Amino acid sequence: MEFSINDTMINLILFGPPGSGKGTQSDFLVEKYNLHHISTGDMFRSEIGGKTELGLLAKSYMNKGELVPDEVTISMLKKRVEDNPGVQGYIFDGFPRTVPQAEALDRMLEEMGQSVNLVELKVGDDELRRRLLERGKTSGRADDTNVDTINNRIQVYKDNTIPVATYYDSHGKAAFVEGEGAIEEVTNRLFNVVDSL
Ligand code: B4P
């Protein structure tokens, strides 16, 4: 695997439960820090839209609020990074969601001579349910319209994904931001944290 190495790269994992604002805030971070945005959720949705084999597989997990298997997700992510060398940094939105995904990401960045910092958006469960159901009214996303699916996504986050934050925290590479409040307020909190990294 060939990567171009740039010492000034900023690599961020924007982390948080479903509906915490990862997709929303990624746009502002991308613009301010000139990062390349990689959203595994968007990638899967694009595969579903294209009715590809990967899309059909992903849909069967996503519509139940389950995680797509690590093997599939990691190889898709690696390909996206390989296809976009020489950028100023990456923002990983919705990835990693499991410890094996985190370990795979760290190995890949290490090969590039790079590392990554995790920033977690903290949002309470009631607010997550409210936001996702609200988005479901217009997005048509099957995983945003059913409250049982939303609750399962929140539970999967607690069981499988929170350990990712613990993993980065144990390496001194995690920061936390209050994710409730106006979108602009959250953006400013994130900028302050990223500026201090
Ligand atoms: P994702 O696409 O990553 O989606 P998400 O977690 O639901 O949403 P996100 O956090 O980005 O949404 P946002 O808050 O911005 O994942 C979907 C599915 O894909 C997963 O369940 C899984 O099946 C699969 N998947 C993805 N990555 C995977 C991986 N690595 N491994 C395995 N499976 C994977 O937006 C939510 C709403 O809140 C929006 O309507 C927004 O406008 C609103 N909002 C945002 N900020 C707000 C604020 N401050 N106040 C009020 N509303 C706000």
Side-chain angles (χ1 to χ4, degrees):
M1 210 186 277
E2 287 279 324
F3 291 109
S4 69
I5 293 172
N6 174 349
D7 286 339
T8 62
M9 273 173 87
I10 303 178
N11 299 305
L12 293 176
I13 295 166
L14 190 55
F15 190 81
S20 56
K22 302 184 295 290
T24 304
Q25 297 296 340
S26 285
D27 292 343
F28 300 110
L29 291 164
V30 161
E31 196 183 15
K32 178 155 164 100
Y33 299 101
N34 199 17
L35 304 177
H36 183 78
H37 183 206
I38 298 185
S39 158
T40 39
D42 286 351
M43 287 161 72
F44 287 132
R45 280 185 288 277
S46 141
E47 296 285 337
I48 291 170
K51 295 192 164 54
T52 65
E53 203 177 315
L54 172 57
L56 282 175
L57 175 78
K59 191 175 172 181
S60 65
Y61 292 94
M62 290 169 78
N63 284 357
K64 288 184 278 185
E66 299 291 337
L67 296 178
V68 180
D70 281 343
E71 201 186 276
V72 176
T73 309
I74 291 167
S75 63
M76 183 180 72
L77 186 280
K78 278 188 175 166
K79 183 168 185 322
R80 184 58 65 96
V81 171
E82 283 167 5
D83 287 347
N84 292 280
V87 298
Q88 263 183 268
Y90 298 93
I91 180 160
F92 299 100
D93 161 8
F95 184 94
R97 263 175 155 95
T98 63
V99 171
Q101 290 183 13
E103 289 166 348
L105 179 66
D106 277 2
R107 275 195 301 274
M108 183 179 63
L109 290 172
E110 221 173 276
E111 280 182 39
M112 299 163 70
Q114 297 295 324
S115 64
V116 69
N117 284 281
L118 176 146
V119 184
E120 177 178 353
L121 291 165
K122 294 264 189 203
V123 177
D125 291 359
D126 288 344
E127 173 67 2
L128 298 175
R129 276 188 282 271
R130 192 192 67 74
R131 288 184 190 179
L132 294 174
L133 286 169
E134 190 58 34
R135 180 170 67 184
K137 287 181 193 165
T138 51
S139 70
R141 272 178 60 173
D143 59 345
D144 282 348
T145 43
N146 179 310
V147 85
D148 290 337
T149 306
I150 290 174
N151 284 334
N152 190 37
R153 289 164 67 192
I154 294 172
Q155 194 57 46
V156 167
Y157 175 78
K158 289 177 181 169
D159 294 343
N160 299 82
T161 306
I162 284 182
V164 172
T166 312
Y167 168 89
Y168 283 101
D169 198 28
S170 72
H171 293 86
K173 295 213 160 263
F176 306 88
V177 163
E178 172 56 53
E180 295 198 30
I183 289 174
E184 194 187 343
E185 283 168 12
V186 179
T187 307
N188 287 329
R189 287 179 206 139
L190 279 168
F191 286 172
N192 285 336
V193 167
V194 175
D195 286 342
S196 70
L197 290 175

